[in-house]
Short mmCIF file of all heavy atoms in Angstrom, two decimals:
data_model
loop_
_atom_site.label_atom_id
_atom_site.label_comp_id
_atom_site.label_asym_id
_atom_site.label_seq_id
_atom_site.Cartn_x
_atom_site.Cartn_y
_atom_site.Cartn_z
N LEU A 371 1.43 2.83 -5.28
CA LEU A 371 0.76 2.97 -6.58
C LEU A 371 0.98 4.37 -7.16
O LEU A 371 1.27 4.51 -8.34
CB LEU A 371 -0.74 2.71 -6.43
CG LEU A 371 -1.15 1.29 -6.08
CD1 LEU A 371 -2.65 1.23 -5.80
CD2 LEU A 371 -0.80 0.35 -7.23
N ILE A 372 0.84 5.38 -6.31
CA ILE A 372 0.99 6.73 -6.85
C ILE A 372 2.44 7.08 -7.14
O ILE A 372 2.70 7.91 -8.01
CB ILE A 372 0.28 7.80 -6.00
CG1 ILE A 372 0.86 7.88 -4.60
CG2 ILE A 372 -1.21 7.61 -5.98
CD1 ILE A 372 0.37 9.09 -3.83
N LEU A 373 3.37 6.44 -6.45
CA LEU A 373 4.78 6.64 -6.82
C LEU A 373 5.04 6.11 -8.22
O LEU A 373 5.76 6.73 -9.01
CB LEU A 373 5.70 5.98 -5.80
CG LEU A 373 5.82 6.69 -4.46
CD1 LEU A 373 6.55 5.81 -3.45
CD2 LEU A 373 6.50 8.03 -4.62
N GLY A 374 4.44 4.98 -8.54
CA GLY A 374 4.55 4.44 -9.90
C GLY A 374 3.88 5.35 -10.92
O GLY A 374 4.42 5.58 -12.01
N ALA A 375 2.72 5.90 -10.56
CA ALA A 375 2.03 6.83 -11.45
C ALA A 375 2.84 8.10 -11.66
O ALA A 375 2.92 8.62 -12.77
CB ALA A 375 0.65 7.18 -10.87
N GLN A 376 3.48 8.57 -10.59
CA GLN A 376 4.32 9.76 -10.71
C GLN A 376 5.45 9.52 -11.71
O GLN A 376 5.75 10.38 -12.54
CB GLN A 376 4.90 10.14 -9.35
CG GLN A 376 5.82 11.35 -9.40
CD GLN A 376 6.61 11.54 -8.12
OE1 GLN A 376 7.05 10.58 -7.50
NE2 GLN A 376 6.77 12.78 -7.73
N GLN A 377 6.07 8.35 -11.66
CA GLN A 377 7.15 8.04 -12.59
C GLN A 377 6.65 7.99 -14.03
O GLN A 377 7.29 8.51 -14.94
CB GLN A 377 7.82 6.71 -12.23
CG GLN A 377 8.99 6.36 -13.12
CD GLN A 377 10.07 7.42 -13.11
OE1 GLN A 377 10.59 7.76 -12.05
NE2 GLN A 377 10.42 7.96 -14.26
N ARG A 378 5.49 7.38 -14.23
CA ARG A 378 4.92 7.31 -15.59
C ARG A 378 4.58 8.70 -16.12
O ARG A 378 4.79 9.00 -17.29
CB ARG A 378 3.71 6.40 -15.62
CG ARG A 378 4.10 4.93 -15.36
CD ARG A 378 2.96 4.01 -15.50
NE ARG A 378 2.70 3.82 -16.94
CZ ARG A 378 1.81 2.98 -17.40
NH1 ARG A 378 1.12 2.23 -16.58
NH2 ARG A 378 1.62 2.86 -18.69
N LEU A 379 4.05 9.55 -15.23
CA LEU A 379 3.75 10.92 -15.64
C LEU A 379 5.04 11.67 -15.97
O LEU A 379 5.10 12.41 -16.96
CB LEU A 379 2.98 11.65 -14.54
CG LEU A 379 1.53 11.20 -14.35
CD1 LEU A 379 0.98 11.73 -13.03
CD2 LEU A 379 0.67 11.65 -15.52
N ALA A 380 6.07 11.49 -15.14
CA ALA A 380 7.36 12.15 -15.39
C ALA A 380 7.93 11.72 -16.74
O ALA A 380 8.50 12.55 -17.47
CB ALA A 380 8.34 11.83 -14.26
N ASP A 381 7.78 10.45 -17.08
CA ASP A 381 8.26 9.95 -18.37
C ASP A 381 7.56 10.65 -19.54
O ASP A 381 8.10 10.72 -20.64
CB ASP A 381 8.03 8.43 -18.49
CG ASP A 381 8.92 7.63 -17.54
OD1 ASP A 381 9.90 8.19 -17.00
OD2 ASP A 381 8.60 6.43 -17.33
N GLN A 382 6.35 11.18 -19.27
CA GLN A 382 5.58 11.89 -20.29
C GLN A 382 5.73 13.41 -20.15
O GLN A 382 5.02 14.17 -20.81
CB GLN A 382 4.11 11.50 -20.21
CG GLN A 382 3.86 10.04 -20.49
CD GLN A 382 2.41 9.67 -20.28
OE1 GLN A 382 1.51 10.49 -20.34
NE2 GLN A 382 2.17 8.39 -20.03
N GLY A 383 6.64 13.84 -19.27
CA GLY A 383 6.88 15.26 -19.10
C GLY A 383 5.90 15.98 -18.19
O GLY A 383 5.82 17.21 -18.21
N VAL A 384 5.14 15.23 -17.40
CA VAL A 384 4.16 15.82 -16.49
C VAL A 384 4.71 15.78 -15.06
O VAL A 384 5.02 14.71 -14.54
CB VAL A 384 2.81 15.06 -16.54
CG1 VAL A 384 1.82 15.65 -15.55
CG2 VAL A 384 2.25 15.08 -17.96
N ALA A 385 4.83 16.95 -14.46
CA ALA A 385 5.31 17.03 -13.08
C ALA A 385 4.17 16.71 -12.11
O ALA A 385 3.05 17.20 -12.29
CB ALA A 385 5.85 18.43 -12.79
N ALA A 386 4.46 15.89 -11.12
CA ALA A 386 3.46 15.54 -10.11
C ALA A 386 4.15 15.39 -8.76
O ALA A 386 5.24 14.86 -8.67
CB ALA A 386 2.75 14.24 -10.49
N ARG A 387 3.47 15.86 -7.75
CA ARG A 387 3.96 15.74 -6.37
C ARG A 387 3.16 14.64 -5.67
O ARG A 387 1.95 14.60 -5.75
CB ARG A 387 3.74 17.05 -5.63
CG ARG A 387 4.16 16.98 -4.16
CD ARG A 387 3.68 18.15 -3.34
NE ARG A 387 4.30 19.38 -3.77
CZ ARG A 387 4.06 20.56 -3.20
NH1 ARG A 387 3.22 20.66 -2.20
NH2 ARG A 387 4.67 21.63 -3.64
N VAL A 388 3.88 13.76 -4.99
CA VAL A 388 3.24 12.69 -4.22
C VAL A 388 3.10 13.14 -2.77
O VAL A 388 4.07 13.63 -2.17
CB VAL A 388 4.05 11.38 -4.30
CG1 VAL A 388 3.53 10.36 -3.31
CG2 VAL A 388 4.00 10.83 -5.71
N ILE A 389 1.91 12.99 -2.23
CA ILE A 389 1.64 13.34 -0.85
C ILE A 389 1.10 12.11 -0.13
O ILE A 389 0.08 11.55 -0.54
CB ILE A 389 0.63 14.49 -0.75
CG1 ILE A 389 1.23 15.75 -1.37
CG2 ILE A 389 0.23 14.76 0.70
CD1 ILE A 389 0.31 16.47 -2.25
N SER A 390 1.80 11.70 0.91
CA SER A 390 1.32 10.62 1.77
C SER A 390 0.54 11.26 2.90
O SER A 390 1.08 12.07 3.65
CB SER A 390 2.50 9.82 2.32
OG SER A 390 2.03 8.87 3.26
N MET A 391 -0.74 10.93 3.01
CA MET A 391 -1.59 11.52 4.04
C MET A 391 -2.19 10.38 4.87
O MET A 391 -3.31 9.94 4.62
CB MET A 391 -2.68 12.38 3.43
CG MET A 391 -3.45 13.19 4.46
SD MET A 391 -4.75 14.22 3.78
CE MET A 391 -3.86 15.34 2.74
N PRO A 392 -1.44 9.89 5.86
CA PRO A 392 -1.93 8.76 6.65
C PRO A 392 -3.07 9.11 7.60
O PRO A 392 -3.78 8.22 8.05
CB PRO A 392 -0.70 8.31 7.42
CG PRO A 392 0.20 9.49 7.46
CD PRO A 392 -0.08 10.27 6.20
N SER A 393 -3.26 10.41 7.90
CA SER A 393 -4.33 10.78 8.83
C SER A 393 -4.93 12.12 8.43
O SER A 393 -4.26 13.15 8.51
CB SER A 393 -3.79 10.88 10.26
OG SER A 393 -4.77 11.45 11.12
N TRP A 394 -6.19 12.10 8.03
CA TRP A 394 -6.88 13.36 7.71
C TRP A 394 -6.99 14.22 8.96
O TRP A 394 -6.82 15.43 8.90
CB TRP A 394 -8.29 13.10 7.19
CG TRP A 394 -8.37 12.33 5.93
CD1 TRP A 394 -7.44 12.26 4.93
CD2 TRP A 394 -9.45 11.53 5.51
NE1 TRP A 394 -7.89 11.45 3.92
CE2 TRP A 394 -9.14 10.99 4.25
CE3 TRP A 394 -10.68 11.20 6.07
CZ2 TRP A 394 -9.98 10.16 3.55
CZ3 TRP A 394 -11.54 10.37 5.37
CH2 TRP A 394 -11.19 9.86 4.12
#
């Protein structure tokens, strides 16, 4: 889901980093 959100943000010129955190 957040990979899709990252792409949509990038399309709007917003840089975003995706972090997968499987274990706190």
Side-chain angles (χ1 to χ4, degrees):
L371 293 172
I372 61 169
L373 286 170
Q376 178 192 38
Q377 183 59 56
R378 293 185 77 175
L379 288 166
D381 291 345
Q382 297 175 24
V384 177
R387 177 192 294 181
V388 170
I389 296 135
S390 174
M391 189 180 297
S393 171
W394 298 333

